[in-house]
Amino acid sequence: MTSAAETISFKCPPPVRERLPAAGNGRSKFILAAIEEKLARARPVQWKPTNARGRKLAARLAAGRHERGPALSVESVDRELRERRGGVQ
């Protein structure tokens, strides 16, 4: 997330607006926290091919999955890069 902020406006029904903290008492932080929580709960979108070329690629990816092994974590990728570059572990 960037450090720059942009003011936006949206329609808020009165029952919801009445339950929000007052302006100057953390309203923006409350709304941002609620939006971030909602986004964190959302499942990542799965790629689904929509044309013949995409379906062919998906089939090749599925066929080669057993050869690639388990997916690497960020830490394991960093460790492997350090090893390949001759860095200290």
Side-chain angles (χ1 to χ4, degrees):
M1 195 159 146
T2 63
S3 60
E6 183 178 337
T7 302
I8 61 169
S9 63
F10 62 96
K11 294 181 181 181
C12 183
V16 173
R17 191 174 57 242
E18 291 167 359
R19 296 184 67 190
L20 292 175
N25 289 333
R27 180 186 292 172
S28 293
K29 289 181 184 178
F30 178 84
I31 293 171
L32 286 174
I35 292 171
E36 288 173 351
E37 179 184 331
K38 175 76 173 179
L39 292 174
R41 284 189 300 204
R43 292 189 318 221
V45 177
Q46 294 291 327
W47 174 63
K48 186 174 181 182
T50 57
N51 57 26
R53 184 177 182 192
R55 287 187 288 275
K56 188 183 227 181
L57 176 59
R60 287 185 179 179
L61 285 171
R65 190 167 286 130
H66 71 280
E67 295 176 4
R68 289 191 297 275
L72 297 175
S73 66
V74 174
E75 293 81 18
S76 59
V77 169
D78 289 340
R79 184 177 58 247
E80 185 171 335
L81 286 174
R82 281 194 308 272
E83 290 172 3
R84 289 183 182 196
R85 293 176 180 160
V88 181
Q89 296 180 28

